Amino acid sequence: MQVVLVVIALIAGITLSTQSSVNGAFSKKAGTLESAFLTFITGGMILFIITLFFGEGNFLEFFSAPKWQLTAVWFGVGYLFLTIVAIPKIGVIATNISAVIGQLTMGMVIDHFGLFEGMVIHFDVKRIIALILMVIALRLIYKADIKNSLHEKLT
């Protein structure tokens, strides 16, 4: 079962990179806010239809949820908007690896302190080394992107 979940997460990452790239290109034509709006309105309509047929029947439970849990919406909007802004300027891979580094860093903090879910997984050397390697990878990718960009401008 764990392998299936890893594959699902891998597919989610593939779709996220593709969506980010398409939104970045679309934002050049329609605008950043317009691209984000189209993504959310279309996604909302699709999820509404799916919820009608496959939902668990607890749609109105959000009224009884703690208010802080409703802030998750803003994080999703922020992520989408910021990737749409960044991709046309620094590219898909630099944007996505930066986002992954941010996810890993915050994930480590959340795990270490048991925030939100209560499960505690403390920092360890392997996790910190993995994060440092991701930052090194970002630096190498970013330097290569700048070098390639300068080369293209000169030719």
Side-chain angles (χ1 to χ4, degrees):
M1 184 61 169
Q2 297 286 27
V3 172
V4 172
L5 293 174
V6 169
V7 170
I8 288 171
L10 182 66
I11 293 168
I14 290 168
T15 60
L16 196 57
S17 288
T18 305
Q19 183 224 10
S20 297
S21 181
V22 171
N23 272 338
F26 181 64
S27 73
K28 291 179 184 178
K29 299 247 185 229
T32 304
L33 290 173
E34 293 79 2
S35 179
F37 176 76
L38 179 67
T39 298
F40 279 108
I41 198 76
T42 305
M45 289 186 304
I46 291 168
L47 282 173
F48 176 74
I49 292 167
I50 292 171
T51 302
L52 283 176
F53 292 102
F54 303 106
E56 297 176 16
N58 298 327
F59 190 68
L60 297 178
E61 283 298 310
F62 71 87
F63 286 117
S64 63
K67 300 304 178 228
W68 68 266
Q69 290 177 352
L70 302 177
T71 63
V73 171
W74 297 109
F75 295 117
V77 169
Y79 171 79
L80 180 69
F81 179 77
L82 293 172
T83 57
I84 291 171
V85 168
I87 283 175
K89 294 175 177 49
I90 65 171
V92 175
I93 193 166
T95 299
N96 286 340
I97 198 166
S98 298
V100 168
I101 291 169
Q103 290 171 350
L104 291 174
T105 302
M106 195 61 204
M108 281 199 255
V109 170
I110 290 168
D111 282 350
H112 182 76
F113 294 107
L115 303 176
F116 312 122
E117 292 294 324
M119 184 172 154
V120 175
I121 303 172
H122 292 290
F123 293 132
D124 63 10
V125 174
K126 291 177 187 174
R127 287 172 172 244
I128 293 170
I129 290 171
L131 190 59
I132 290 168
L133 291 173
M134 292 289 292
V135 171
I136 292 169
L138 174 61
R139 175 84 172 133
L140 293 172
I141 287 166
Y142 191 71
K143 284 182 79 169
D145 288 350
I146 290 173
K147 182 179 176 184
N148 289 337
S149 177
L150 289 173
H151 179 68
E152 286 177 14
K153 286 180 183 178
L154 295 174
T155 55

